[in-house]
């Protein structure tokens, strides 16, 4: 039973948060390119970041900050320049960016988090940022979630945000989130960029543990093109403004809060996968019957990331052989005699053997999903069962179209 409901507002839906997004001149297009999220009080902060060895300066800055302090008040995100592989000069740009935010908001320097997205190897346009920080701070509003979500996108076709609320005793807890991502999506941590706000009262270690587990069930299970970003950042604030009793240990209240967090993360993750560059549909792969959830997630992610599976879906070809082959190379031991595969309602394989099915109707199913409404009825469902355990896992991806090559051939990342 769902214990929460969706509400408007994005990252500003929870109590005590303001946000804004402006055009600061960082993008050549003149579109919004600078976002700021601020908590009215110091919040418990948690983060998950890319594991790549080639990282943006802001990633190292935030990781180091969390090692010394788990509190935060502000998140500044610039779009246009990734500030990755920019050496000591890029690191100085990050430090100056944090100082600008701290001075403008009159908050401690160590309560500022930073994120960047854009072209690798390009430093932030600091002249534009110096002028932009006071402007975005002046624009902060408790209804500014949508403008902030717009200011962090690059090749995205749509903004990505969500907010939910649930009852904890006689009080309401709210949680909001926003993310960006469309290409270079195959996270080895969390996501491209995602920011989550919450007004619950929760201990710092518990919040960090919840976020890491939620990331493993969401952002770490999406793929568009197999490429991990240099800037992957997931930051979550919990500022306690709901005035609910503090959640300091595992139990029913902690489980409920983590379920909310996982739901928000999965919604944002699926939105990223659906908005994959050139994509026409979302692909959801569910794997069950494995020895562990980790095994199931590994198989699901391998199938969702298979270029051959993705190409078949774009070609509206119900090619079960490509699905089976991808499952088999995922690095998980299973008996192929137990393998069962479904595409939507079409049973393609049972007990490791192909079944007779209406190929034309299955192809029509793929066409119908590609024509469906965004994130509602545009999902191609693949179900795989290995038949010997209780493990279960999901992964999300998209089809691979001609446009993916065109977009990335014409666009420098």
């Amino acid at each position: 039973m769902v214990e929460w409901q969706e509400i408007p507002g994005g990252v500003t839906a929870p109590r005590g948060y303001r946000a804004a997004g402006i055009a600061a001149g960082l993008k050549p297009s003149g579109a919004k390119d600078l976002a700021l999220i601020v908590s009215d009080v110091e919040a418990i902060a948690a983060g998950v970041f890319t594991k790549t060895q080639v990282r943006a300066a802001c990633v190292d800055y935030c990781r180091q900050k969390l090692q010394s302090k788990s509190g935060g008040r502000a998140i500044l995100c610039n779009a246009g320049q990734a500030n990755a592989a920019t050496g000591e000069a890029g690191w100085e740009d990050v430090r100056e960016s944090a100082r600008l935010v701290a001075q403008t908001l009159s908050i401690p320097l160590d309560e500022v988090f930073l994120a960047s997205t854009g072209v690798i190897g390009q430093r932030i346009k600091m002249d534009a940022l110096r002028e932009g920080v006071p402007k975005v701070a002046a624009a902060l509003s408790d209804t500014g979630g949508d403008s902030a979500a717009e200011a962090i996108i690059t090749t995205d076709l749509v903004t990505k945000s969500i907010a939910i609320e649930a009852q904890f005793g006689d009080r309401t807890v709210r949680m909001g989130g926003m993310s960006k991502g469309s290409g270079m999506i195959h996270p080895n941590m969390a996501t491209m960029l995602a920011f989550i706000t919450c007004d619950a009262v929760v201990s710092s270690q518990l919040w960090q543990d919840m976020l890491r587990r939620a990331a493993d069930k969401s952002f770490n299970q999406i793929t568009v093109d197999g490429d991990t970003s240099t800037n992957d950042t997931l930051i979550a604030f919990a500022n306690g403004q709901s005035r609910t009793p503090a959640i300091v240990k595992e139990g029913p209240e902690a489980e409920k809060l983590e379920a909310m967090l996982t739901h928000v993360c999965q919604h944002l993750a699926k939105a990223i996968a659906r908005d994959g560059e050139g994509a026409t549909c979302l692909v959801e792969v569910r794997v069950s019957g494995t020895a562990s959830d980790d095994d199931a997630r590994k198989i699901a992610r391998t199938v969702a990331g298979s270029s051959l599976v993705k190409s078949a879906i774009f070609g509206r070809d119900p090619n079960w052989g490509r699905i089976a082959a991808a499952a088999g190379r995922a690095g998980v031991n299973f008996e192929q005699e137990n393998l069962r595969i479904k595409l939507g309602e079409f049973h393609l394989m049972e007990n490791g053997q192909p079944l007779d099915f209406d190929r034309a109707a299955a192809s029509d199913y793929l066409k119908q999903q590609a024509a469906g409404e965004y994130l509602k009825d545009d999902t191609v469902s693949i179900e795989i069962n290995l038949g010997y355990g209780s493990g279960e896992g999901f992964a999300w991806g998209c089809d691979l179209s001609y446009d993916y090559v065109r977009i990335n051939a014409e666009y420098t990342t």
Side-chain angles (χ1 to χ4, degrees):
M1 180 179 178
V2 176
E3 300 183 59
W4 54 78
Q5 62 179 1
E6 290 196 14
I7 56 174
V11 293
T12 51
R15 299 168 185 83
Y17 291 96
R18 294 170 294 147
I22 67 165
L26 299 167
K27 289 179 180 176
S29 66
K32 290 181 180 179
D33 50 22
L34 190 63
L36 181 63
I37 304 169
V38 176
S39 173
D40 292 341
V41 299
E42 184 179 356
I44 295 297
V48 188
F49 306 94
T50 182
K51 295 178 181 177
T52 181
Q53 296 304 301
V54 180
R55 297 182 299 272
C58 56
V59 170
D60 287 339
Y61 180 87
C62 290
R63 288 171 66 181
Q64 291 177 19
K65 206 196 78 58
L66 278 175
Q67 289 174 359
S68 60
K69 182 177 181 178
S70 61
R73 286 282 303 277
I75 304 169
L76 180 75
C77 179
N78 70 278
Q81 300 85 44
N83 199 26
T86 51
E88 185 62 28
W91 181 251
E92 288 301 318
D93 290 343
V94 161
R95 295 176 63 182
E96 182 181 353
S97 298
R99 287 195 298 268
L100 285 168
V101 174
Q103 292 167 3
T104 301
L105 297 176
S106 298
I107 63 175
L109 180 63
D110 61 5
E111 293 183 356
V112 178
F113 286 82
L114 302 168
S116 299
T117 182
V119 179
I120 295 170
Q122 291 188 4
R123 291 172 55 190
I124 301 169
K125 295 179 180 178
M126 292 305 296
D127 287 343
L129 192 83
R130 292 183 191 104
E131 293 185 11
V133 168
K135 292 178 181 178
V136 73
L140 286 168
S141 159
D142 59 8
T143 59
D146 289 344
S147 66
E150 183 181 352
I152 67 172
I153 63 175
T154 50
T155 60
D156 309 52
L157 296 179
V158 296
T159 58
K160 303 164 180 70
S161 64
I162 184 178
I164 60 175
E165 66 177 13
Q167 290 298 122
F168 282 68
D170 61 351
R171 299 193 67 84
T172 302
V173 168
R174 295 172 183 161
M175 188 179 296
M178 69 184 200
S179 65
K180 66 83 55 182
S182 183
M184 198 176 280
I185 307 297
H186 192 74
N188 188 21
M189 46 63 65
T191 184
M192 289 19 73
L193 294 180
F195 310 114
I196 295 172
T197 57
C198 181
D199 55 21
V201 185
V202 59
S203 69
S204 60
Q205 187 58 57
L206 197 56
W207 188 233
Q208 179 65 54
D209 291 343
M210 288 180 180
L211 187 67
R212 190 171 298 280
R213 288 192 292 263
D216 282 342
K217 295 177 182 177
S218 57
F219 299 118
N220 268 337
Q221 290 299 110
I222 61 172
T223 180
V224 170
D225 48 19
D227 279 299
T228 298
S229 171
T230 56
N231 291 55
D232 293 349
T233 297
L234 167 62
I235 297 171
F237 279 2
N239 69 4
Q241 293 302 287
S242 65
R243 309 297 184 190
T244 51
I247 302 173
V248 297
K249 62 181 180 179
E250 301 289 350
E253 298 296 89
E255 291 176 2
K256 186 173 181 178
L257 185 64
E258 184 170 341
M260 292 177 67
L261 183 59
T262 301
H263 176 78
V264 167
C265 289
Q266 288 185 343
H267 175 93
L268 296 174
K270 287 190 280 187
I272 289 172
R274 173 58 186 89
D275 196 28
E277 290 170 341
T280 68
C281 60
L282 176 68
V283 179
E284 179 177 87
V285 182
R286 177 194 176 193
V287 176
S288 59
T290 54
S292 69
D293 290 349
D294 284 344
D295 283 352
R297 287 197 289 264
K298 185 181 292 187
I299 293 172
R301 191 175 179 188
T302 302
V303 173
S306 165
S307 295
L308 288 176
V309 172
K310 291 156 62 70
S311 298
I313 292 171
F314 176 67
R316 317 313 176 206
D317 176 14
N319 191 328
W320 60 265
R322 293 182 179 182
I323 298 171
R329 66 174 172 82
V332 175
N333 291 326
F334 64 87
E335 298 295 331
Q336 66 175 350
E337 289 78 10
N338 296 328
L339 182 61
R340 181 166 68 239
I341 298 175
K342 284 180 62 179
L343 176 67
E345 295 301 315
F346 297 91
H347 291 258
L348 310 183
M349 175 177 274
E350 187 76 31
N351 297 323
Q353 297 294 313
L355 298 173
D356 290 332
F357 67 96
D358 189 332
R359 180 171 292 273
S363 180
D364 285 342
Y365 162 75
L366 295 172
K367 295 175 184 176
Q368 291 164 6
Q369 301 313 103
E373 186 177 353
Y374 181 79
L375 282 184
K376 291 185 178 179
D377 53 4
D378 68 342
T379 304
V380 170
S381 171
I382 296 173
E383 294 185 27
I384 301 169
N385 187 281
L386 281 306
Y388 65 88
S390 59
E392 182 179 65
F394 289 83
W396 297 274
C398 59
D399 56 345
L400 183 61
S401 74
Y402 312 130
D403 276 345
Y404 176 83
V405 174
R406 179 188 60 78
I407 290 168
N408 283 281
E410 296 174 356
Y411 175 73
T412 298
T413 57

